[in-house]
């Protein structure tokens, strides 16, 4: 029957249309290699006719795996982050994962809000930008027991998972290059006063002091 609470087409309706049991439909969707080509084609036709969309939350509860990764970035207008998102998607889709993208707008409150919403989808992991987060965000992530990887910076702790580069070293190297070229009046401009920009500024000042 159609779910009264959501009005969505149910697995039972697909099974009835295809003339098979609900377990067979579930198997055809989640483990298609275990279902014959003819039966799979019949089920796929029923899915298409009814416009059935699998319930990821229910499947996650049944399998303890949602195949969803939460990715939070501070901006969607910055080309750097859009390229990073493209790379993440390329890497994850090979193994059948999907991403839930959130734009924190450089706000701790927004990051906290997005995590509270997205963690309800029972994701398999979280990718966050930067290393510094609010106490509440840290508490939420710790309580979730999910694997968390930080991007765009390198963590000093061997226990923390991070992929990126040293922002301080980047700022230092850029400034040192100009100093070595003979320039004396070197300015530093940043679009945001976020932690990564401030670290690059620290590297910039270190090079000038030398």
């Amino acid at each position: 029957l159609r779910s009264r609470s959501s009005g969505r087409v149910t697995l039972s309706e697909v099974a009835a249309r295809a003339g098979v049991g609900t377990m067979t439909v579930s198997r055809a969707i989640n483990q298609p290699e275990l279902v014959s080509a003819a039966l799979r084609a019949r089920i796929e036709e029923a899915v298409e006719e009814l416009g059935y969309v699998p319930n990821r939350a229910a499947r996650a509860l049944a399998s303890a795996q949602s195949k969803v990764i939460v990715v939070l970035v501070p901006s969607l207008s910055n080309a750097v982050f859009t390229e990073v998102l493209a790379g993440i998607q390329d890497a994850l889709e090979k193994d059948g994962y999907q991403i839930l993208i959130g734009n924190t707008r450089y706000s701790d409150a927004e990051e906290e809000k997005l995590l509270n919403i997205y963690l309800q989808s029972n994701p398999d992991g979280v990718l966050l930008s930067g290393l510094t987060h609010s106490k509440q965000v840290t508490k939420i992530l710790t309580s979730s027991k999910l694997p968390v990887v930080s991007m765009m910076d390198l963590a000093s702790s061997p226990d923390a998972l991070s992929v990126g580069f040293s922002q301080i070293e980047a700022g230092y190297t850029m400034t040192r290059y100009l100093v070595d070229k003979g320039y004396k009046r070197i300015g530093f401009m940043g679009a945001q006063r976020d932690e990564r920009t401030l670290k690059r500024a620290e590297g910039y000042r270190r090079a000038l002091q030398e």
Side-chain angles (χ1 to χ4, degrees):
L1 296 176
R2 192 177 300 272
S3 170
R4 289 182 180 178
S5 60
S6 66
R8 293 173 56 176
V9 175
T10 66
L11 199 70
S12 298
E13 286 182 283
V14 175
R17 177 65 63 90
V20 297
T22 55
M23 287 300 294
T24 302
V25 175
S26 178
R27 193 176 296 116
I29 293 172
N30 300 312
Q31 296 175 290
E33 69 279 3
L34 300 180
V35 179
S36 69
L39 190 54
R40 195 164 63 242
R42 205 162 83 213
I43 292 171
E44 288 174 354
E45 184 179 349
V47 167
E48 186 174 346
E49 287 178 357
L50 295 174
Y52 173 71
V53 178
N55 187 331
R56 278 192 173 274
R59 186 165 62 185
L61 287 173
S63 66
Q65 190 177 38
S66 65
K67 305 295 283 187
V68 169
I69 302 294
V70 171
V71 183
L72 300 186
V73 295
S75 171
L76 292 177
S77 60
N78 188 326
V80 170
F81 294 111
T82 54
E83 289 179 6
V84 167
L85 288 172
I88 292 170
Q89 188 168 16
D90 288 345
L92 290 178
E93 66 182 6
K94 296 174 184 176
D95 294 309
Y97 284 88
Q98 299 296 321
I99 58 177
L100 275 177
I101 301 170
N103 179 7
T104 67
R105 299 181 175 87
Y106 294 95
S107 165
D108 288 341
E110 187 69 15
E111 185 174 57
E112 180 183 331
K113 184 184 78 173
L114 288 170
L115 279 174
N116 277 321
I117 294 172
Y118 287 173
L119 290 185
Q120 295 177 34
S121 298
N122 193 33
D124 293 331
V126 180
L127 286 169
L128 294 179
S129 299
L131 302 172
T132 304
H133 307 283
S134 70
K135 290 183 179 179
Q136 186 60 24
V137 164
T138 301
K139 186 184 297 184
I140 292 171
L141 292 173
T142 301
S143 300
S144 74
K145 307 295 183 184
L146 291 171
V148 178
V149 178
S150 298
M151 309 180 292
M152 315 304 292
D153 208 336
L154 289 179
S156 56
S157 170
D159 297 326
L161 300 176
S162 63
V163 178
F165 52 89
S166 169
Q167 298 287 340
I168 295 176
E169 191 63 30
Y172 174 88
T173 301
M174 290 188 291
T175 310
R176 188 73 243 181
Y177 172 80
L178 294 175
V179 170
D180 291 342
K181 286 286 188 178
Y183 294 101
K184 301 291 186 182
R185 295 167 59 82
I186 303 170
F188 180 91
M189 296 180 67
Q192 297 283 344
R193 290 181 58 82
D194 63 281
E195 59 168 323
R196 290 172 297 284
T197 299
L198 295 177
K199 285 181 177 180
R200 289 194 292 274
E202 181 182 336
Y204 154 81
R205 285 191 292 269
R206 184 185 299 174
L208 290 185
Q209 288 165 358
E210 288 180 1

